[in-house]
Amino acid sequence: MEYERSLTFAAQLWIDSYLAKQTAKAGIQLNRQQTAEELLLFLTDDSTLLTPGFVLRRHIQVQGLVSGEGYADLSQTANISWPENVIHQTSKKLSSISRARHGLTISTENWKHYLTDAQTIHRDMIFRLAMITQMGREQTLELLLACGQEPYNMRRPMELICWFCQYTPGVYTWRDVHRLMDACTDRPSAEGGRKAPERYGENFTRLIRQNIGALLDSNLPAEEAERTLTELIAQSRGELSGASRTAQNGYLRLTEYLNALYLPGKQATLHKLIHAVYKRLDWRFEDLLQSPTGKRYVFRGAVEDESASRIEDCVFSAALGETALFCKRYYARANAIENGIRAVDRRDILLLSYFLIIGYSGTDPDTRAQFWRLTEENASLDRRIALLGDDLDDLTRPADSMEKQVLCCRILNELLTEFGFRPLYHPAPFDRFILLSLLTDHPARTARYLLGEDMEV
């Protein structure tokens, strides 16, 4: 069938295949740990983390963009740092390339932050950095994984255009991406106010499936392929959205299960629910602060006076600092999801799944009975949770880390699958935080320790 050769269909098959290989490779590493002690040591080794800075440094090293001497060959080593002078010279070169070739102003200081994991990289910036460093699709997917982000979203014009441009890395620049995005905007959404031609369809995904299938392998001249791409995107402008109403509804349904565990018999607002969860877990973030100037980092402590002198009881690594801030600010994020302002991503499902596992393990039989009654509505999420009954019950009984790994991974992966997200990927920092917290004898206490709250273990 024609749609089986479509860009979206073929792209999704390729992405799924690539992610499956990466996940399987990571799973082999995890399963090589023979004892509970080896497993925990492996999960606390920062050199095995896949961080954005590591992915960027390894790629630009292959591209020959590194300046200086005495740096590790990251294609042969784990995630280890480079000397400061190498980072500085390389960042200076990348800043110059950003401006001269791509028309983007990214300072040397910001490049330093990106290469050393001292700054969070938002989703749009991920694609800019990928284009600047001439990443292909595989490398971009790995950078997205390291940033805790989902793969290319074919319902976002910018990401679809990047997918198109990265078919041959290094040919297109960010100026070209911007040019193609402008071309989409400049085109009318329907010619002469009339209904779009039937061949465009009503739905963007179907449109892409039916019409751009052979763009990249049809040997069309570049100008004609670009014109076809921008025309089709423009015709479906009204259908383009990065958010999923289905995911939003599923997310809110998942909070109802949490409500049954943490506030049984009460119908609480999202704010009250998250407050109740944090109170049960004893998560406190009043003293969690972010440095507003200079090198960006997160710490626990206090600001002594107006001149911003600070007491630093615990300074986080970049990865844990980002996780800690994510948890501290979670109500604002959950509220944005509830109101349709922000899309659900896999970190939301991982965090709520963690709350569900901990809440179920620590509650009484009557509360669990109320929890299971929710599955009687028999919607998709309800059926998925019903299938997890034995696994959740098994986690209420004593088990070592190896047994918990199997049970927790199964629960997390089932819930991630329900929302269309890729499976647990332990090299990613947020995934590792969730998994490591769950595998110990006292998960809530472990999470507090990792978040810098309880420094005595």
Side-chain angles (χ1 to χ4, degrees):
M1 296 174 65
E2 183 182 350
Y3 76 85
E4 290 180 339
R5 285 179 52 79
S6 72
L7 178 61
T8 296
F9 187 81
Q12 197 58 56
L13 283 178
W14 187 90
I15 289 170
D16 290 346
S17 175
Y18 178 79
L19 293 179
K21 289 176 184 176
Q22 297 301 101
T23 303
K25 189 186 301 182
I28 290 171
Q29 287 182 305
L30 197 66
N31 293 332
R32 281 177 181 164
Q33 314 312 309
Q34 298 297 312
T35 66
E37 183 179 7
E38 288 180 359
L39 178 63
L40 293 178
L41 283 173
F42 176 76
L43 290 174
T44 52
D45 181 1
D46 286 347
S47 72
T48 62
L49 280 174
L50 184 76
T51 64
F54 172 58
V55 174
L56 282 168
R57 286 185 290 122
R58 186 178 59 189
H59 178 70
I60 63 176
Q61 189 173 29
V62 173
Q63 296 297 103
L65 298 174
V66 185
S67 299
E69 299 177 349
Y71 53 88
D73 180 356
L74 298 181
S75 66
Q76 304 297 320
T77 68
N79 185 357
I80 60 178
S81 60
W82 281 349
E84 187 173 342
N85 67 304
V86 174
I87 293 291
H88 176 78
Q89 292 300 322
T90 303
S91 298
K92 187 176 179 181
K93 178 184 288 188
L94 288 168
S95 179
S96 176
I97 292 171
S98 304
R99 185 179 300 105
R101 186 161 191 259
H102 298 268
L104 289 169
T105 302
I106 303 176
S107 69
T108 298
E109 198 63 26
N110 277 340
W111 269 110
K112 285 184 185 178
H113 290 152
Y114 297 142
L115 296 181
T116 59
D117 295 309
Q119 184 171 332
T120 301
I121 310 176
H122 63 75
R123 188 171 180 93
D124 285 359
M125 181 57 75
I126 291 171
F127 289 96
R128 293 187 181 102
L129 300 183
M131 290 297 298
I132 292 168
T133 58
Q134 300 182 24
M135 284 186 173
R137 295 164 176 177
E138 288 189 2
Q139 294 82 15
T140 303
L141 277 171
E142 196 161 17
L143 185 57
L144 286 163
L145 285 173
C147 293
Q149 297 278 345
E150 283 303 296
Y152 293 83
N153 183 349
M154 295 301 177
R155 293 181 64 85
R156 293 191 72 209
M158 183 269 285
E159 298 186 27
L160 177 57
I161 289 169
C162 285
W163 174 269
F164 173 87
C165 292
Q166 290 177 301
Y167 181 67
T168 308
V171 172
Y172 286 90
T173 69
W174 188 258
R175 294 180 196 272
D176 295 312
V177 173
H178 203 273
R179 171 176 58 80
L180 293 171
M181 289 175 65
D182 285 345
C184 295
T185 304
D186 292 342
R187 291 184 183 278
S189 58
E191 297 174 343
R194 294 179 282 109
K195 180 181 177 182
E198 186 62 31
R199 66 190 180 91
Y200 293 122
E202 299 176 353
N203 174 275
F204 177 65
T205 302
R206 186 164 68 249
L207 175 151
I208 294 297
R209 286 179 177 175
Q210 292 174 344
N211 295 282
I212 321 182
L215 264 186
L216 297 176
D217 58 3
S218 64
N219 296 318
L220 282 175
E223 185 177 344
E224 185 177 345
E226 291 173 8
R227 184 173 61 251
T228 304
L229 176 71
T230 57
E231 185 178 279
L232 293 173
I233 291 175
Q235 291 290 348
S236 287
R237 194 176 303 150
E239 300 293 335
L240 302 177
S241 170
S244 164
R245 182 62 63 84
T246 301
Q248 179 195 31
N249 291 337
Y251 175 89
L252 295 175
R253 180 60 174 165
L254 189 52
T255 65
E256 293 177 19
Y257 280 90
L258 297 180
N259 196 120
L261 294 173
Y262 289 88
L263 290 169
K266 300 178 183 178
Q267 288 297 322
T269 63
L270 195 54
H271 183 271
K272 288 182 179 178
L273 172 61
I274 292 175
H275 177 75
V277 172
Y278 280 26
K279 184 177 181 181
R280 173 90 65 88
L281 300 180
D282 200 22
W283 280 13
R284 297 184 298 272
F285 296 105
E286 295 85 355
D287 63 338
L288 181 71
L289 305 168
Q290 185 174 21
S291 175
T293 59
K295 185 178 180 181
R296 300 183 184 185
Y297 63 94
V298 182
F299 66 96
R300 279 193 180 271
V303 176
E304 290 183 322
D305 53 48
E306 294 180 359
S307 64
S309 297
R310 50 181 68 95
I311 300 170
E312 297 172 354
D313 296 325
C314 170
V315 178
F316 288 89
S317 67
L320 267 180
E322 184 177 347
T323 296
L325 285 176
F326 181 87
C327 295
K328 175 179 180 174
R329 300 166 176 170
Y330 195 70
Y331 168 67
R333 180 182 179 86
N335 184 59
I337 292 172
E338 184 179 37
N339 291 308
I341 299 170
R342 183 185 289 274
V344 178
D345 75 23
R346 64 190 310 280
R347 292 176 301 170
D348 298 303
I349 304 309
L350 283 170
L351 186 63
L352 265 58
S353 299
Y354 169 83
F355 293 157
L356 188 148
I357 292 170
I358 299 301
Y360 188 87
S361 299
T363 195
D364 58 79
D366 289 341
T367 300
R368 289 177 192 166
Q370 292 183 41
F371 173 89
W372 290 117
R373 276 197 288 274
L374 290 174
T375 63
E376 294 173 4
E377 289 194 19
N378 205 35
S380 178
L381 179 64
D382 303 323
R383 293 193 295 273
R384 182 84 62 170
I385 289 178
L387 292 173
L388 298 174
D390 290 342
D391 292 333
L392 286 167
D393 285 336
D394 286 344
L395 283 172
T396 65
R397 296 183 276 272
D400 65 22
S401 297
M402 305 299 285
E403 294 173 288
K404 288 179 182 177
Q405 176 202 331
V406 174
L407 295 170
C408 289
C409 286
R410 192 151 56 213
I411 294 169
L412 294 171
N413 285 336
E414 283 291 334
L415 291 172
L416 286 168
T417 299
E418 174 64 25
F419 286 83
F421 295 133
R422 57 182 169 78
L424 192 74
Y425 187 66
H426 70 79
F430 194 84
D431 294 46
R432 183 171 296 193
F433 163 74
I434 295 295
L435 181 59
L436 181 58
S437 297
L438 289 171
L439 295 189
T440 60
D441 291 334
H442 303 284
R445 182 176 173 83
T446 301
R448 291 199 301 274
Y449 172 73
L450 293 173
L451 295 173
E453 291 189 35
D454 183 5
M455 301 309 295
E456 296 182 5
V457 293

